[in-house]
Amino acid sequence: MSLFHRRKNNHNQKKNKQTVPNEHNPSLEPLSGIFNEDIQKIKKTFQKSSDVIVRTFNIGNDESNNAAIIFTDGLADSTAIQNFILESLMVDVKKGQISRIKLIQQIKNSILTVGDIAEIRDFESLYTTVLSGNTVILINGSTEAISASTAGWEDRAVSEPATQTLVRGPREGFTENLRTNTALLRRKIKDHNLYCEQKQIGTLTKTNIAVMYIKGIVNDKLVGEVHHRLDKIDIGGILESGYIEELIQDETFTPFPTIFNSERPDVIAACLLEGRVAILVDGTPFVLVVPSLFIQNFQVAEDYYQRSDIGSLLRLLRITCFLIALFGPSFYIAVTTFHQEMLPTPLLISLAAQREGVPFPAFVEAVIMEIAFEILREAGIRMPRAVGQAVSIVGALVLGQAAVEAGIVSASMVIVVSLTAIANFVFPAYNMAISVRMLRFGMMFFAASFGLYGITVGSLALLMHLNSLRSFGVPYMAPFSPLIPEDLKDTLVRFPQWALFTRPRLINQKNIKRQPSPAAAKPEPEK
């Protein structure tokens, strides 16, 4: 873990050099304990925010026990405030029942019926608590305030993920609520060693981030590295997990995703059981997982819900589609431009007849069609759902047919580009599909310049780049490079469940065995 120590030393050097405090973080001014002054300061801070409510009242029948509650309308549950805070403090408390000595402790221990409460001693924490949906209770004469958990905004119900659908498997997906997402993972893994550590990132948004892992399975240095990179983030706002992904990834200048993401709880739970670390961000259903491997982008949850032979066949099909999407147009350009002798004579005559009236070389043809399909694909995504799919399909058919009839492109090029576009949709990971779409143009350029030799050079350069990548210190191409024969059981093909008795070795170095042994895991048939 030299990478971890190197990053830690760099962080310490930057920390020692930093002498000027961050201007986005104001000094933590403590509560004065003077009721009217604190209330006026709070009202002045939120004077332009009509949705922040400040309500003053008396505790019980004693007029000397002044108190106030501060909450954000729309983020806080008004029913919970009414029943569990105001009614408890104003109605249920009778005169003489409480004394001003240790008033805060009596309210927390004997009066409030809210589930989660905490103490607040400064204005910055008070503002953050109020804007997070909780209610702050301010007591006259006390330098401590009480934070009561009353968050109750409207959020989306748990439903089937839109981007990762399955024929067989769970139909639940993550939502934009952080606590709902952690609860979905708790339902999958009912073990006390499943840790959930929470922190806030973003000086303005103060977005809640949860780091989840299984103690005893995960590598402790990996957890430390994740926290180290998250703590280094100094940014005004985090609105989606993509912000976190870009800020903590190992390599910036690469088209390949080195951090895996998913909106399926079963996929994230499986990653946790292998010894990975999940990063959940409030406000998005996409959960990040580190470290990530190249082969992970071709694995779907359904591979493990079907029999091993079916799952292996479908995985090989995805890998074949990856090769078609990456090399399809470039191979066509290379063969038709430089290596016509590789084609059978009837096919060569047919292709020559199709290209007789085409004014452009094969490379220009492919670029025109690829750009046209990319425009149609993007338009279909951004347009309303009712018309987006129809426009993309009809537009592709009409555009391809019109281009052939006008003599701009050949019919065979339309077939090749269409097959490439369809193969691109097979990828379960959307960000990997985007990477292939980018690299396809580079391969087409190499093919147009040097034929099959150019494709070979481009492929070697791509392989060298893939082997140079790391994901939180783990080689991106593992277990192929470096070669780990024991971990090949779940790569190109999937072995039966009883044979998957070990976890990936480069990810998990602490608890390798999933189950005792293959012989013990495999059930014996009755005689």
Side-chain angles (χ1 to χ4, degrees):
M1 283 292 176
S2 58
L3 175 65
F4 169 72
H5 294 293
R6 184 165 62 251
R7 288 181 177 271
K8 186 174 181 180
N9 293 333
N10 294 337
H11 174 67
N12 292 334
Q13 293 174 4
K14 292 179 181 179
K15 186 175 180 181
N16 294 332
K17 293 179 181 178
Q18 184 176 3
T19 57
V20 181
N22 191 343
E23 60 180 0
H24 297 293
N25 292 328
S27 59
L28 300 179
E29 182 180 353
L31 298 173
S32 66
I34 304 175
F35 186 72
N36 292 330
E37 291 186 3
D38 291 344
I39 291 296
Q40 289 302 320
K41 182 176 178 59
I42 294 171
K43 288 183 177 180
K44 184 178 179 180
T45 302
F46 293 112
Q47 61 180 344
K48 297 294 185 179
S49 302
S50 59
D51 56 341
V52 177
I53 310 299
V54 180
R55 163 75 190 279
T56 59
F57 60 94
N58 297 327
I59 299 177
N61 298 324
D62 192 351
E63 297 182 357
S64 61
N65 284 338
N66 298 328
I69 59 171
I70 306 98
F71 63 93
T72 304
D73 189 19
L75 295 181
D77 187 355
S78 57
T79 303
I81 295 174
Q82 175 69 29
N83 296 336
F84 303 132
I85 297 178
L86 290 177
E87 188 172 344
S88 298
L89 292 174
M90 298 176 64
V91 179
D92 296 342
V93 177
K94 298 180 181 179
K95 188 174 183 179
Q97 184 177 353
I98 61 174
S99 62
R100 298 193 61 83
I101 303 175
K102 296 183 179 180
L103 180 59
I104 292 289
Q105 295 297 328
Q106 295 181 62
I107 292 176
K108 291 194 300 183
N109 299 335
S110 306
I111 299 176
L112 287 181
T113 56
V114 181
D116 186 17
I117 58 177
E119 294 181 0
I120 294 177
R121 302 177 184 273
D122 58 83
F123 283 100
E124 187 66 24
S125 300
L126 186 148
Y127 301 150
T128 302
T129 301
V130 170
L131 296 176
S132 298
N134 297 323
T135 301
V136 173
I137 305 171
L138 202 62
I139 309 298
N140 185 16
S142 175
T143 58
E144 298 178 4
I146 300 175
S147 168
S149 177
T150 57
W153 56 80
E154 296 292 332
D155 49 8
R156 184 169 60 92
V158 177
S159 59
E160 184 176 3
T163 59
Q164 298 174 339
T165 57
L166 298 179
V167 176
R168 178 178 179 178
R171 293 293 187 267
E172 59 187 8
F174 289 120
T175 68
E176 289 74 18
N177 188 289
L178 180 63
R179 279 290 159 256
T180 302
N181 296 341
T182 56
L184 289 172
L185 289 177
R186 291 283 184 188
R187 285 184 58 192
K188 299 290 183 183
I189 306 175
K190 303 179 181 67
D191 189 271
H192 67 278
N193 288 317
L194 177 59
Y195 286 10
C196 180
E197 301 176 358
Q198 187 167 324
K199 58 181 62 183
Q200 286 186 346
I201 300 179
T203 56
L204 298 178
T205 59
K206 295 180 175 62
T207 306
N208 291 322
I209 308 292
V211 178
M212 299 191 71
Y213 57 91
I214 301 178
K215 186 69 174 178
I217 295 180
V218 71
N219 190 337
D220 295 332
K221 292 184 178 180
L222 173 62
V223 178
E225 178 71 4
V226 171
H227 282 292
H228 173 66
R229 298 192 190 186
L230 291 175
D231 292 337
K232 285 179 61 179
I233 297 176
D234 186 10
I235 191 173
I238 299 292
L239 302 179
E240 213 274 336
S241 58
Y243 286 57
I244 301 291
E245 178 179 355
E246 191 170 355
L247 290 169
I248 67 173
Q249 62 186 355
D250 290 67
E251 188 70 33
T252 302
F253 301 103
T254 178
F256 296 98
T258 55
I259 295 179
F260 183 74
N261 69 81
S262 176
E263 56 177 333
R264 296 191 60 88
D266 53 338
V267 173
I268 303 301
C271 293
L272 292 174
L273 291 172
E274 286 186 342
R276 291 181 168 93
V277 177
I279 304 173
L280 294 82
V281 181
D282 191 22
T284 176
F286 290 92
V287 176
L288 306 179
V289 175
V290 294
S292 174
L293 303 179
F294 176 78
I295 193 62
Q296 194 174 357
N297 295 285
F298 302 95
Q299 299 170 344
V300 298
E302 198 171 9
D303 291 347
Y304 306 91
Y305 305 149
Q306 303 282 0
R307 295 201 320 267
S308 60
D309 52 351
I310 298 176
S312 300
L313 178 63
L314 295 178
R315 188 174 297 177
L316 289 173
L317 177 63
R318 293 185 210 105
I319 296 173
T320 303
C321 290
F322 168 77
L323 299 176
I324 293 174
L326 182 60
F327 296 108
S330 57
F331 186 79
Y332 176 84
I333 293 171
V335 171
T336 56
T337 305
F338 295 96
H339 311 282
Q340 295 91 345
E341 68 277 2
M342 296 180 62
L343 298 175
T345 302
L347 179 58
L348 180 60
I349 295 174
S350 175
L351 292 177
Q354 294 178 25
R355 292 188 47 80
E356 185 177 358
V358 177
F360 304 112
F363 174 69
V364 177
E365 270 190 277
V367 171
I368 292 174
M369 290 304 299
E370 286 289 347
I371 293 176
F373 270 90
E374 292 297 331
I375 293 174
L376 288 171
R377 189 204 310 264
E378 193 68 16
I381 295 175
R382 306 305 167 195
M383 292 183 67
R385 291 188 178 181
V387 296
Q389 186 175 3
V391 168
S392 60
I393 296 175
V394 175
L397 293 174
V398 173
L399 184 63
Q401 184 67 24
V404 172
E405 292 179 355
I408 300 175
V409 297
S410 61
S412 57
M413 179 60 74
V414 174
I415 296 173
V416 171
V417 174
S418 300
L419 180 62
T420 302
I422 295 172
N424 204 272
F425 286 116
V426 177
F427 299 160
Y430 178 71
N431 45 6
M432 177 59 75
I434 297 177
S435 302
V436 173
R437 286 157 59 184
M438 294 169 54
L439 294 170
R440 186 187 307 150
F441 288 94
M443 289 297 176
M444 289 163 52
F445 174 78
F446 278 111
S449 302
F450 308 103
L452 292 179
Y453 302 104
I455 296 178
T456 304
V457 172
S459 301
L460 291 175
L462 187 61
L463 286 174
M464 287 189 293
H465 174 70
L466 284 170
N467 282 280
S468 68
L469 296 179
R470 296 290 185 273
S471 178
F472 279 74
V474 177
Y476 191 55
M477 289 301 292
F480 303 106
S481 176
L483 182 62
I484 306 175
E486 295 83 356
D487 291 348
L488 295 176
K489 298 187 294 293
D490 191 17
T491 52
L492 301 180
V493 296
R494 180 185 78 80
F495 281 31
Q497 289 288 350
W498 53 265
L500 302 176
F501 60 93
T502 57
R503 297 183 175 90
R505 279 166 169 73
L506 288 183
I507 295 175
N508 188 290
Q509 301 174 358
K510 192 173 183 179
N511 189 349
I512 299 295
K513 289 188 177 181
R514 297 177 188 260
Q515 48 204 22
S517 66
K522 182 180 179 180
E524 293 292 338
E526 295 183 2
K527 296 181 179 180

